[in-house]
Amino acid sequence: MLTAAGLSPKRSRGQNFLIDPNTTRRIVELARVEAGEHVIEVGPGLGALTRQLRDAGARVTAIEIDSALAALVAQTFHGDPMVRVINDDARSVDIAAVTGDEPARVVANLPYNVATPLLMDILAEAAQVRSVFVMVQAEVADRLAAPPGTSDVGGVSLKVAWYGNAEVIRRVPPTVFYPKPRVDSALVRIVRHPGAPRLGRPEPLFSLIEAGYKQRRKTLRRSLSAVCPTDVIESVGVDPGRRAETVTLQEWESLAAAL
Ligand code: SAM
């Protein structure tokens, strides 16, 4: 299809296309897409996942940065009121405006180079996006969902946990893509916590987490010295001799509240 359209994959845009129909079908099943729901797909590429989402009855908004691919997908679904294509950089699209007041979900095989910042923007800004189900590099998926105390945990794990629950669903081998990526991929699901969605980037919570993880091998006494005095760390019952990677989200929140 790429060749027929006179195109070739661009690595700079994270273009690894799904070429295995069983995988695209399985993604939509695992995402539990329901008829009539609004699904935002970032990076439809050649439209393989878009097709499955559409066939599951979803109303799809597909955001594609590559003009040639956006035109191809728009042409494929021409006249279909269930598929809308936006030719733009998903990072500069106001996703909250795309959802309006209506609940939506993100289901996508994300471009790996922008996956994490894009997910963080969506969680921080798009209240109506209640959950995301995305393919990312396996290492990134592990990090997004890692609990404190594990080797994969990073500042981003804690930030994601503030918005919702993240879970790695399954690993996906390079063989289902063209071109084959050098690393494994994985499907990850993030579901917002129940109740009013948490939005924005809470401060000083996120700055504290960043300071702690910037020097994750150091004790909190040292890594947080510029942002949080030792007596404040002690005042919330956290041992300043611990390292950031052992601190739970609840403890980070207590520290932020005590500042
Ligand atoms: N969904 C297709 C599939 O599964 O075969 C393609 C997935 S491919 C990993 C990522 C897609 O995202 C590519 O089509 C690429 O052009 C597009 N893309 C890359 N950066 C983007 C951005 N910032 N905004 C929107 N689309 C982007």
Side-chain angles (χ1 to χ4, degrees):
M1 194 168 172
L2 265 178
T3 327
L7 303 168
S8 55
K10 299 188 188 83
R11 189 196 284 190
S12 61
R13 296 215 157 135
Q15 292 179 355
N16 297 98
F17 302 105
L18 280 166
I19 50 165
D20 173 28
N22 289 329
T23 304
T24 39
R25 216 173 5 251
R26 196 77 188 112
I27 291 172
V28 174
E29 276 166 22
L30 289 167
R32 302 187 208 118
V33 171
E34 285 171 21
E37 77 175 327
H38 185 194
V39 171
I40 298 170
E41 185 192 6
V42 174
L46 298 165
L49 191 55
T50 323
R51 166 59 60 201
Q52 295 292 337
L53 291 165
R54 167 67 184 91
D55 287 353
R59 252 176 334 101
V60 185
T61 301
I63 307 170
E64 174 59 62
I65 197 170
D66 186 313
S67 308
L69 293 176
L72 193 72
V73 179
Q75 193 188 340
T76 305
F77 294 95
H78 179 71
D80 185 339
M82 299 290 271
V83 180
R84 173 183 169 217
V85 179
I86 298 174
N87 178 203
D88 206 343
D89 180 344
R91 287 212 69 197
S92 54
V93 171
D94 180 353
I95 304 285
V98 171
T99 65
D101 294 335
E102 190 195 17
R105 285 210 276 159
V106 169
V107 179
N109 172 19
L110 287 181
Y112 291 173
N113 41 350
V114 294
T116 303
L118 184 65
L119 284 173
M120 296 311 289
D121 286 351
I122 290 170
L123 289 170
E125 293 159 20
Q128 295 295 359
V129 174
R130 304 294 168 85
S131 68
V132 304
F133 189 85
V134 289
M135 179 107 72
V136 292
Q137 281 182 19
E139 194 187 317
V140 171
D142 290 343
R143 181 140 292 202
L144 290 171
T150 62
S151 59
D152 290 323
V153 73
V156 75
S157 327
L158 275 298
K159 291 180 186 175
V160 167
W162 186 78
Y163 297 106
N165 281 320
E167 187 189 357
V168 178
I169 304 298
R170 66 163 56 175
R171 286 177 108 82
V172 178
T175 44
V176 301
F177 301 93
Y178 175 79
K180 283 187 207 158
R182 291 202 196 98
V183 291
D184 272 358
S185 304
L187 290 163
V188 62
R189 175 184 281 129
I190 305 171
V191 180
R192 282 194 190 274
H193 295 307
R198 289 180 161 189
L199 297 169
R201 292 173 172 83
E203 293 297 350
L205 179 64
F206 278 18
S207 299
L208 274 175
I209 293 171
E210 276 161 26
Y213 276 93
K214 208 164 164 193
Q215 305 183 73
R216 58 189 289 157
R217 303 277 162 231
K218 294 196 174 157
T219 62
L220 295 173
R221 182 183 291 109
R222 298 191 60 191
S223 61
L224 300 187
S225 60
V227 283
C228 183
T230 302
D231 58 328
V232 174
I233 305 177
E234 285 166 339
S235 74
V236 297
V238 172
D239 177 353
R242 283 167 60 188
R243 297 195 299 203
E245 57 205 20
T246 70
V247 178
T248 65
L249 179 60
Q250 220 174 3
E251 288 172 327
W252 285 114
E253 288 185 286
S254 305
L255 277 172
L259 270 179

